[in-house]
């Protein structure tokens, strides 16, 4: 990195040298001297008001200072004049990711890469859940499900999008036993279809993932689709339930039909207990007919489910109708525990990427966060970030997040998984017909 003092001396000699001002600003950013960097970028703009690099530099300074909206305005201002500026698209991608707008972040990132292949960044691509757009179509493929407004009028707000996840099992830390089960149930039948048919086994079926919230069930489902290069559909309850009689069943059927038309496909139902509740608890509820429809779709009695893979996730498996556990439906029921130490270290590394972290010891932090879920680890980073931001605003400079900040945040948080295990332990001990919850007992070290 250029010596900051030497650059200051050079600027005193040549105060209107724009490349020198930009170089000095970049050196300041490298030392987290954000305010000094911004002043240098502004001096460059005073000389050349259309300098895109200086405009983007100010946007980066705003980003580091926590002013995401201001950074977005600056970056969009550059693109209004220079729509082919790949660096601006890449910055917009990072800004969208910082605010949780994952789809928009992916669109901006692939736009940047399309303009300049040198913009590719493996660390960013690992975090993206949306693949690059297909050359023949810029819009993801969609199916529209019906509302109660009429038998042939679609509800434009309720759509399901087909994705092609770029994740694979290598992006998911730990969970080796679960991965092996999914390979046998899903991956090997697809890659060795003739061999499995010889044994009377077809590709398809269902896998139910259960465990405490925030432990990577959704990530595992996406990675499974990525492993087999299959289409992926994440189904939420809002895409199915409808206030008008019969429409919920039609919506569910439409989603299964889309998956069948675009097989191999993975249908992922998050919080499936909301759609597959125990019918004994529903009595006269219209939800009973929706459950019956769900069972019929899974059985393939409506249409063939060859190469359609159904993965569901739940935090409350004890609320699911027992009929869903019958062979041919969710006949692989897998416990997803909190991430182990290796997985926690990998998650910590990912969470640290987009923040000014210094002196990080991922292994030491992983040892201090036993039983933390992925969501708990994110909360730890959020808490440490808030405290450093408060100091940064008081001192008027970027305050890096250090190990002491993260360790203090970890001490202040309690793993949310423990409350789940308190409930699960009771079911595992007193309502464990057929050994359904043996994995929970094993994880807790309880012998039956």
């Amino acid at each position: 990195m250029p010596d900051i003092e030497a650059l200051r001396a050079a600027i005193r000699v040549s105060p209107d040298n724009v490349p020198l001002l930009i170089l000095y600003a970049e050196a300041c950013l490298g030392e987290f001297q954000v305010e000094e960097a911004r002043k240098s970028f502004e001096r460059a703009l005073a000389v050349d008001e259309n300098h895109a690099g200086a405009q983007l530099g100010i946007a980066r300074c705003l980003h580091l200072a926590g002013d995401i909206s201001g950074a977005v305005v600056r970056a969009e201002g550059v693109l209004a004049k220079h729509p082919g500026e790949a660096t601006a698209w890449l910055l917009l991608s990072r800004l969208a990711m910082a605010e949780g707008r994952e789809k928009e972040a992916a669109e901006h990132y692939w736009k940047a890469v399309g303009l300049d292949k040198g913009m590719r960044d493996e660390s960013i691509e690992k975090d993206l859940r949306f693949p690059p757009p297909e050359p023949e179509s810029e819009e993801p493929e969609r199916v529209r499900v019906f509302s109660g407004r009429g038998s042939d009028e679609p509800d434009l707000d309720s759509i399901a999008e087909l994705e092609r996840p770029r994740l694979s099992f290598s992006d998911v830390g730990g969970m080796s036993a679960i991965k092996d089960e999914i390979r046998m149930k899903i991956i090997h039948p697809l890659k060795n279809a003739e061999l499995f048919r010889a044994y009377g086994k077809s590709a398809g079926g269902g896998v139910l993932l259960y465990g405490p919230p925030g432990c990577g069930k959704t990530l595992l489902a996406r990675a499974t689709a990525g492993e087999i290069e299959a289409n992926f559909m994440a189904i939420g309850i809002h895409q199915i339930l409808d206030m008008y009689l019969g429409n919920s069943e039609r919506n569910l059927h439409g989603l299964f039909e889309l998956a069948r038309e675009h097989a191999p496909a993975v249908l992922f139902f998050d919080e499936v207990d909301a759609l597959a509740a125990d019918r004994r608890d529903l009595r006269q509820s219209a939800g009973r007919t929706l459950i019956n429809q769900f069972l019929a779709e899974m059985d393939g009695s409506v249409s063939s489910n060859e190469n359609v893979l159904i993965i569901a996730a739940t935090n409350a498996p004890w609320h699911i109708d027992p009929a869903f556990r019958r062979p041919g439906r969710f006949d692989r029921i897998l416990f997803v525990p909190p991430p182990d130490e290796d997985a926690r270290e990998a998650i910590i590394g990912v969470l640290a990427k987009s923040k000014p972290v210094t002196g990080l010891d991922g292994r030491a932090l992983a040892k201090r966060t036993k039983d933390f879920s992925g969501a708990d680890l994110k909360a730890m980073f959020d808490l440490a970030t808030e405290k450093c931001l408060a100091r940064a605003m008081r001192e008027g400079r970027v305050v890096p997040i250090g190990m002491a900040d993260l360790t203090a945040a970890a001490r202040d948080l309690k793993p949310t998984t423990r409350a789940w295990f308190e409930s699960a332990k009771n079911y595992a001990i007193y309502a464990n017909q057929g050994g359904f919850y043996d994995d929970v007992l094993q994880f807790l070290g309880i012998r039956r």
Side-chain angles (χ1 to χ4, degrees):
M1 180 177 292
D3 184 88
I4 288 181
E5 290 302 323
L7 288 171
R8 282 199 187 111
I11 289 171
R12 282 195 291 270
V13 175
S14 182
D16 294 331
N17 186 324
V18 172
L20 190 58
L21 289 166
I22 298 294
L23 187 60
Y24 172 67
E26 293 290 350
C28 288
L29 281 180
E31 296 294 329
F32 294 115
Q33 297 179 24
V34 177
E35 192 56 38
E36 184 69 10
R38 180 171 178 174
K39 289 177 182 177
S40 189
F41 284 129
E42 287 175 343
R43 285 177 64 183
L45 283 176
V47 179
D48 180 2
E49 63 180 7
N50 294 317
H51 196 286
Q55 290 279 10
L56 289 174
I58 293 175
R60 288 161 57 206
C61 292
L62 291 169
H63 180 201
L64 289 172
D67 185 359
I68 302 295
S69 298
V72 169
V73 170
R74 288 278 186 169
E76 289 178 342
V78 171
L79 289 171
K81 296 179 180 178
H82 310 282
E85 183 64 49
T87 309
W89 288 110
L90 185 63
L91 178 59
L92 273 182
S93 174
R94 295 181 186 278
L95 295 170
M97 186 66 78
E99 290 194 320
R101 293 178 280 114
E102 296 180 0
K103 186 176 180 183
E104 189 176 332
E107 290 172 353
H108 294 331
Y109 174 77
W110 294 118
K111 177 73 172 179
V113 171
L115 291 166
D116 182 359
K117 300 297 182 186
M119 293 287 107
R120 294 203 72 155
D121 186 325
E122 289 185 4
S123 64
I124 292 178
E125 291 184 18
K126 283 186 177 180
D127 294 335
L128 294 179
R129 295 185 177 182
F130 295 88
E134 295 292 338
E136 66 272 13
S137 173
E138 296 184 2
E139 286 292 322
E141 193 160 4
R142 296 173 175 176
V143 61
R144 292 174 178 176
V145 293
F146 292 99
S147 70
R149 285 170 262 182
S151 60
D152 54 5
E153 182 180 352
D155 178 2
L156 300 179
D157 297 322
S158 299
I159 56 176
E161 295 184 0
L162 288 166
E163 307 169 27
R164 273 294 182 92
R166 297 172 62 85
L167 293 171
S168 67
F169 282 170
S170 62
D171 299 305
V172 181
M175 302 188 188
S176 57
I178 299 172
K179 292 174 187 175
D180 288 342
E181 286 272 9
I182 291 176
R183 285 188 183 100
M184 180 57 66
K185 174 68 179 178
I186 292 177
I187 298 172
H188 294 327
L190 278 170
K191 294 185 175 180
N192 305 277
E194 293 301 323
L195 178 62
F196 272 71
R197 284 196 191 99
Y199 286 87
K201 301 284 287 182
S202 61
V207 174
L208 177 64
L209 307 174
Y210 79 94
C215 289
K217 295 185 285 292
T218 301
L219 179 65
L220 191 62
R222 288 183 184 277
T224 299
E227 282 282 319
I228 57 177
E229 298 181 350
N231 291 309
F232 180 82
M233 289 170 56
I235 308 302
I237 189 171
H238 66 283
Q239 293 166 288
I240 296 175
L241 295 186
D242 192 285
M243 65 183 292
Y244 291 93
L245 190 65
N247 277 3
S248 297
E249 291 80 2
R250 293 172 62 195
N251 293 344
L252 182 64
H253 175 67
L255 293 166
F256 268 88
E257 282 297 296
L258 179 71
R260 291 166 184 142
E261 291 169 9
H262 296 86
V266 173
L267 270 174
F268 175 64
F269 293 89
D270 199 5
E271 298 180 357
V272 71
D273 47 290
L275 295 171
D278 194 327
R279 285 170 291 184
R280 290 172 297 185
D281 298 332
L282 298 176
R283 302 190 182 279
Q284 302 301 319
S285 169
R288 292 174 63 91
T289 60
L290 178 60
I291 293 170
N292 291 336
Q293 180 72 33
F294 201 166
L295 292 169
E297 298 287 351
M298 290 193 71
D299 285 340
S301 57
V302 177
S303 185
S304 172
N305 285 335
E306 182 78 14
N307 292 334
V308 174
L309 316 166
I310 303 149
I311 301 180
T314 180
N315 303 328
W318 38 83
H319 293 321
I320 292 179
D321 194 288
F324 282 94
R325 302 201 293 267
R326 199 203 75 182
R329 293 168 181 167
F330 291 128
D331 48 9
R332 288 287 191 282
I333 300 170
L334 307 178
F335 173 54
V336 181
D340 59 20
E341 190 172 301
D342 288 338
R344 292 198 299 277
E345 183 179 9
I347 293 168
I348 287 166
V350 171
L351 291 170
K353 285 178 185 175
S354 61
K355 297 176 175 62
V357 177
T358 183
L360 178 66
D361 185 342
R363 176 57 65 173
L365 200 54
K367 289 180 182 296
R368 292 174 177 269
T369 51
K370 185 177 184 296
D371 295 336
F372 273 44
S373 67
D376 293 333
L377 292 172
K378 183 178 184 303
M380 175 188 70
F381 268 85
D382 289 343
L383 182 58
T385 298
E386 287 170 7
K387 291 183 177 179
C388 289
L389 268 175
R391 285 174 54 201
M393 287 187 288
R394 287 195 304 269
E395 299 173 16
R397 64 182 183 89
V398 171
V399 176
I401 303 169
M403 270 294 289
D405 301 303
L406 292 166
T407 302
R411 276 198 307 269
D412 291 342
L413 294 171
K414 301 297 181 187
T416 57
T417 61
R418 290 177 184 168
W420 185 89
F421 277 109
E422 284 299 316
S423 296
K425 181 172 68 174
N426 293 328
Y427 285 97
I429 294 174
Y430 303 112
N432 194 18
Q433 296 90 346
F436 185 70
Y437 303 115
D438 282 354
D439 287 337
V440 174
L441 292 174
Q442 183 178 349
F443 183 85
L444 294 172
I446 299 173
R447 299 183 65 179
R448 295 185 66 184

